[in-house]
Amino acid sequence: QVQLVESGGGLVQAGGSLRLACAASGRTFNNYAMGWFRQAPGKEREFVAAISVSGGVTNSVKGRFTISRDNAKNTVYLQMSMLKPEDSAVYYCTADPSWTKVVNGGGSWGQGTQVTVSS
């Protein structure tokens, strides 16, 4: 399985921006679909975005979040802008050769990075 390490989380005021990164190792990054989920305290895990091996994307936070990947760095990013307090959560990176598994949460997982948005 691929190993995933998230970074870039932190505390930001409402309306601000953060860029999360997920570094992958252990497998061929270019052959993996990648995605982001988030989970707030007391709530179920929520799909955020995913990107395919060819660069196709799907995004549940339209307009404010953008997912991208840099294959040379074996890294996937989540650019978050116009953040709201309800965006506060632990953000998890996921990966799998299967697009379906990534979108449905069936792939490998990182340990997560905390995002806290204050009002």
Side-chain angles (χ1 to χ4, degrees):
Q1 294 288 96
V2 65
Q3 289 78 52
L4 304 169
V5 180
E6 300 96 333
S7 62
L11 176 64
V12 64
Q13 292 186 4
S17 300
L18 285 173
R19 190 187 194 191
L20 307 184
C22 174
S25 63
R27 300 291 181 183
T28 303
F29 177 79
N30 289 0
N31 293 331
Y32 277 69
M34 308 286 293
W36 291 93
F37 285 72
R38 65 187 181 184
Q39 187 168 22
K43 297 184 178 180
E44 294 185 348
R45 186 179 59 189
E46 176 189 19
F47 174 78
V48 176
I51 185 166
S52 73
V53 296
S54 61
V57 302
T58 188
N59 190 348
S60 68
V61 188
K62 301 183 186 302
R64 298 191 298 116
F65 289 9
T66 301
I67 189 170
S68 62
R69 64 192 295 160
D70 185 339
N71 290 339
K73 296 182 178 180
N74 294 336
T75 301
V76 65
Y77 302 94
L78 185 68
Q79 178 67 51
M80 306 185 295
S81 62
M82 301 177 66
L83 284 162
K84 305 175 181 179
E86 50 263 46
D87 294 320
S88 297
V90 177
Y91 283 71
Y92 295 94
C93 178
T94 185
D96 196 88
S98 168
W99 169 263
T100 300
K101 285 188 175 181
V102 167
V103 171
N104 292 332
S108 300
W109 296 96
Q111 291 185 298
T113 185
Q114 176 71 52
V115 172
T116 303
V117 184
S118 65
S119 60

